[in-house]
Amino acid sequence: MTLSIIIVNYNVKHFLEQCLYSALKAAEQMCNVEFFVVDNNSSDNSMNYLKPKFPTVTFLENKENLGFSKANNIALNYCKGDYILFLNPDTIVTEDCFTTCIKFFKDHTDCASLGLRMLDGTGKFLPESKRSFPSPITSFYKLVGLAFLFPKSRIFNQYALGYLDEKKSHEVDVLAGAFLMVRKDILDKVGSFDETFFMYGEDVDLSFRLQQSGLKNYYLGELPIIHFKGESTKRGSLNYVKMFYNAMSIFVSKHYGGSKAKVFTFVINCAIWLRAFLSATKRLLSNLFMPIFDLVILNLIIFFTEKGWIAIVRHGESFNNFFVGYAAPFFSITFILVAWVNGIYDNLYKPSKAVAALVIATMAEMTIYSLLPDDIRFSRGVFLLAGVFSTIVITISRNLFIKMKWIDVTNENDRMQQTIIVGSQKEYDSVMAIYQNAGLAERVLGRIAKKESDTVAAIGHLSQLDLLLNTYEIKEVVFCEGEMSNRNIIDIIQSSKHTINFRFHAAFSSSIVGSDNKTTAGESLTADGYFHLYQPYYRRIKRMLDVVISTIIVFTFPLQFLLIKRPLKVLFNALIVLSGKKSWVGYSLFQKNLPSLRAGILTVYGFPMGTEHPLAEEALHKLDSLYAREYDWWRDMQLIFANFRKLGGV
């Protein structure tokens, strides 16, 4: 056996599907390749989904999540290849990948292991493709951001070897575990992954031991692969920072020891707290900038409108101080609350929603005005003028922010003609079926053919891609593997100068995958459809409904003794829901592959959580998927009222 490939899966079945199709295609160019997939107790039905599609792959199923290192070591016991490839499930390899790597090993007898140039889903280079061994100072530079500010510096970016040409091959210290090919005989001598490392750091440790054997670790810059990243953890989170640098601490303690390890641990802890503070500050400013901006602008508009009205209409006669003290803040806060509910602060701007929020704020203030005693009333004209001026200023400022790319814009055409599909007519039809099932078919502008001769039902061919991207407001390009090779697709993506989203669809697959940011989880679109509950707007509506229902139950508690079987329990449930720990309606099963939800008091089929249901588990998966895809607050209302007597349990 020449090559054994090990892939560890945890709740990323659609990415693994694309990965396996690309790896199997690459394996066709050589003989004697075996595949092992180790599933770490995924809850997304991965095994039932993948096994029928890949009969030549050996699937090993763990009963719990044993971590990356231990899972790889389990499969290693079955491997017979002269070379072992540890491969992440969120990768796409080129057709010449394996043959090139094996040839490199044979041409370089001093090579113990090798890795490749990894690109994220947008075609950007991933610096962790090649690294040096961690030290206190290099890790500190990375944590505080100096490595990011000076990416080519030999001093500040020593850890990522930023001064080495990413497109050329080099001897390096550390290779990434996302694609790590190792000689089996050397691996037998130095040992495989250290299971002390649950996630992160195990590749650094193995690279160190391989180098200590007297051989070398090589980075092949000429051979690119896609590594979507972000699938096992949210890489931008504080939790990721702690996990990664704690792994570095384990490495230093193991291989350096003594005072150096103590210094490293101290530096890392200080840097983690600094990173946490900077990240929290950045998130706070990012989330609050627009509401604070609106609050200030609206108060200023009302202030100057009042002053102008006093000067021009009232000839200098002032209003009661009540106006300045209460009316202006009430107007601006009402606008912000309505705008927030409508999703304007989800980094999207829709003119009609902004105008609606201003109209509601104006009407609310006019209503309050009509209820005030005559001696403290002021002018309706000020309200109306302030509403008009606010609409103008908010519209102008948002358009300015859109041009500066601080926010994105959404309108009625947002779902129209923003996606193009590159592939044959048959491949186009396959992708369109997925978009239609997801209810997103109207997004697709048309098909891009690979060949100039293929002009039937195509809006252009591949050589015109840049022209089409410049002509139309394209936001998404789906590349179909089949007529085009993965190598062709990756070459196009890495050379593109357009800021758009790239998606991948392998021949015979049932999904489309992509990732638009190297620090966040990837996205997948499948025949199962597009889930409403991924959108902040629907999640916010669901949470508001939870709060309203809980508040009503708390304030009408004495009535619950007449209406509900276990009134004290339902009061307790209402308080738990108010605290945000649970929701009134949740999934019937734990669903890792669906939008995350709080545990429910009721399930999506109406039974109290924990109640046995006669339907099979697969049917319950379908119910949960349907609920997430087509979420509507009215459905929650129906479930809650239909099962009101069971809100305290049965």
Side-chain angles (χ1 to χ4, degrees), residues 393-411:
V393 173
I394 291 293
T395 301
I396 292 174
S397 64
R398 286 303 196 275
N399 285 324
L400 178 63
F401 293 154
I402 290 167
K403 289 187 178 299
M404 297 172 67
K405 298 189 182 299
W406 288 4
I407 60 174
D408 199 359
V409 61
T410 178
N411 52 46

Side-chain angles (χ1 to χ4, degrees), residues 252-317:
V252 171
S253 299
K254 176 179 177 180
H255 294 292
Y256 298 154
S259 59
K260 190 170 185 178
K262 292 180 181 179
V263 170
F264 184 89
T265 302
F266 174 76
V267 171
I268 288 302
N269 286 333
C270 292
I272 285 175
W273 282 108
L274 176 61
R275 179 70 170 267
F277 172 77
L278 294 175
S279 296
T281 302
K282 181 180 178 181
R283 286 195 299 270
L284 184 65
L285 292 176
S286 176
N287 293 335
L288 295 182
F289 172 75
M290 294 306 300
I292 291 175
F293 173 84
D294 289 342
L295 188 68
V296 171
I297 289 297
L298 294 177
N299 275 279
L300 286 174
I301 288 173
I302 294 179
F303 175 80
F304 285 112
T305 302
E306 178 210 5
K307 295 302 182 185
W309 191 271
I310 289 173
I312 298 172
V313 179
R314 296 175 63 90
H315 306 294
E317 182 182 352

Side-chain angles (χ1 to χ4, degrees), residues 350 352 410-416:
K350 188 171 183 179
S352 61
T410 178
N411 52 46
E412 296 306 321
N413 295 321
D414 227 21
R415 292 163 60 90
M416 300 295 290

Side-chain angles (χ1 to χ4, degrees), residues 336-440:
I336 288 170
L337 288 174
V338 176
W340 175 74
V341 170
N342 280 280
I344 292 178
Y345 297 124
D346 295 331
N347 198 35
L348 294 172
Y349 173 64
K350 188 171 183 179
S352 61
K353 289 186 176 182
V355 172
L358 288 165
V359 170
I360 291 173
T362 303
M363 292 178 63
E365 190 132 34
M366 294 287 284
T367 301
I368 297 296
Y369 169 89
S370 66
L371 299 175
L372 293 174
D374 292 340
D375 58 333
I376 61 171
R377 284 187 179 182
F378 27 86
S379 173
R380 290 186 179 90
V382 173
F383 289 143
L384 294 174
L385 275 179
V388 172
F389 292 151
S390 297
T391 301
I392 295 171
V393 173
I394 291 293
T395 301
I396 292 174
S397 64
R398 286 303 196 275
N399 285 324
L400 178 63
F401 293 154
I402 290 167
K403 289 187 178 299
M404 297 172 67
K405 298 189 182 299
W406 288 4
I407 60 174
D408 199 359
V409 61
T410 178
N411 52 46
E412 296 306 321
N413 295 321
D414 227 21
R415 292 163 60 90
M416 300 295 290
Q417 299 184 343
Q418 64 177 15
T419 299
I420 54 177
I421 300 169
V422 182
S424 67
Q425 184 62 49
K426 184 178 180 180
E427 292 165 343
Y428 173 81
D429 293 339
S430 177
V431 171
M432 276 302 297
I434 296 175
Y435 273 89
Q436 286 167 352
N437 286 335
L440 302 174

Side-chain angles (χ1 to χ4, degrees), residues 185-297:
D185 58 338
I186 301 300
L187 198 61
D188 290 338
K189 290 180 182 178
V190 305
S192 186
F193 290 122
D194 184 341
E195 295 176 7
T196 305
F197 299 89
F198 183 84
M199 184 181 294
Y200 307 121
E202 68 288 318
D203 49 1
V204 181
D205 174 72
L206 180 56
S207 295
F208 183 87
R209 287 185 281 117
L210 289 168
Q211 196 179 82
Q212 290 294 101
S213 73
L215 298 180
K216 299 177 180 179
N217 302 319
Y218 281 95
Y219 161 78
L220 274 62
E222 297 88 353
L223 192 57
I225 65 169
I226 295 294
H227 181 206
F228 291 108
K229 297 176 65 73
E231 290 310 301
S232 297
T233 186
K234 294 183 178 179
R235 300 183 63 87
S237 68
L238 176 60
N239 184 53
Y240 162 73
V241 173
K242 291 175 64 177
M243 289 176 65
F244 182 83
Y245 287 100
N246 283 338
M248 295 300 97
S249 296
I250 295 173
F251 170 81
V252 171
S253 299
K254 176 179 177 180
H255 294 292
Y256 298 154
S259 59
K260 190 170 185 178
K262 292 180 181 179
V263 170
F264 184 89
T265 302
F266 174 76
V267 171
I268 288 302
N269 286 333
C270 292
I272 285 175
W273 282 108
L274 176 61
R275 179 70 170 267
F277 172 77
L278 294 175
S279 296
T281 302
K282 181 180 178 181
R283 286 195 299 270
L284 184 65
L285 292 176
S286 176
N287 293 335
L288 295 182
F289 172 75
M290 294 306 300
I292 291 175
F293 173 84
D294 289 342
L295 188 68
V296 171
I297 289 297

Side-chain angles (χ1 to χ4, degrees), residues 22 137 147 404 422 524 553 609:
S22 72
I137 192 63
M404 297 172 67
V422 182
S524 61
I553 288 174
M609 188 64 70

